[in-house]
Amino acid sequence: MRRCVGLLRWLFVIGLVFGALFAGPAERIAAGLDPLAAWVELGPGGVALARAVVQGPLCPPLVVDGRSQPMRVHAAPSAAFPVLVCEGEVSAGATAASVDNIALPLPKAKPDRIVLVGDTGCRVSVFEGKTQLQACNDPVAWPAAAVAASA
């Protein structure tokens, strides 16, 4: 019986992998395989790290200079943050990187400017029994997107 359960688990995993490889765009979105967001950040020692947030159970591959490499789980889903955060290292000197055909901007070897933006996020608070909501979709009331875009 244990062998059957183990075999069924492996068949399920193999099915997920093949389904991800051969799924069309609609199926990929429905399965949570397309990244919700992808970016590059500098990690310890100045190493460029590609990150991707997905709703599905698997990390998408990272393509660096035309070569595909697996991404590892950076943060597993939780009750508070029900998505998978994946991470992969971008080699120094790389000229191109992408996650699921999303081109990622790479850091310059010698940056000529640095921008630091701080934002505490959209606020929802309760004060004296009343819920106060910030107009997060109003670019005048919360211009975080405009400030980031201008950078």
Side-chain angles (χ1 to χ4, degrees):
M1 183 67 173
R2 285 185 187 172
R3 256 190 204 157
C4 288
V5 171
L7 179 62
L8 287 174
R9 284 184 186 153
W10 275 108
L11 289 174
F12 177 73
V13 169
I14 290 169
L16 282 176
V17 170
F18 277 101
L21 291 174
F22 299 108
E27 292 87 1
R28 291 180 59 80
I29 291 169
L33 297 172
D34 284 334
L36 299 172
W39 67 93
V40 174
E41 61 185 63
L42 293 179
V47 174
L49 299 172
R51 295 241 172 116
V53 178
V54 296
Q55 289 181 318
L58 304 171
C59 287
L62 169 64
V63 178
V64 178
D65 290 336
R67 295 181 60 197
S68 181
Q69 63 189 53
M71 295 180 85
R72 63 187 169 276
V73 174
H74 175 72
S78 67
F81 197 63
V83 293
L84 182 67
V85 181
C86 305
E87 175 181 272
E89 191 172 313
V90 178
S91 55
T95 59
S98 65
V99 174
D100 204 40
N101 294 318
I102 298 171
L104 302 174
L106 297 177
K108 293 181 178 181
K110 295 185 180 201
D112 52 4
R113 65 182 165 150
I114 297 173
V115 176
L116 177 63
V117 177
D119 181 23
T120 60
C122 188
R123 303 263 177 173
V124 176
S125 60
V126 178
F127 181 71
E128 295 181 359
K130 294 182 179 179
T131 302
Q132 298 174 337
L133 302 174
Q134 185 176 2
C136 303
N137 292 327
D138 182 349
V140 173
W142 195 51
V147 171
S150 69

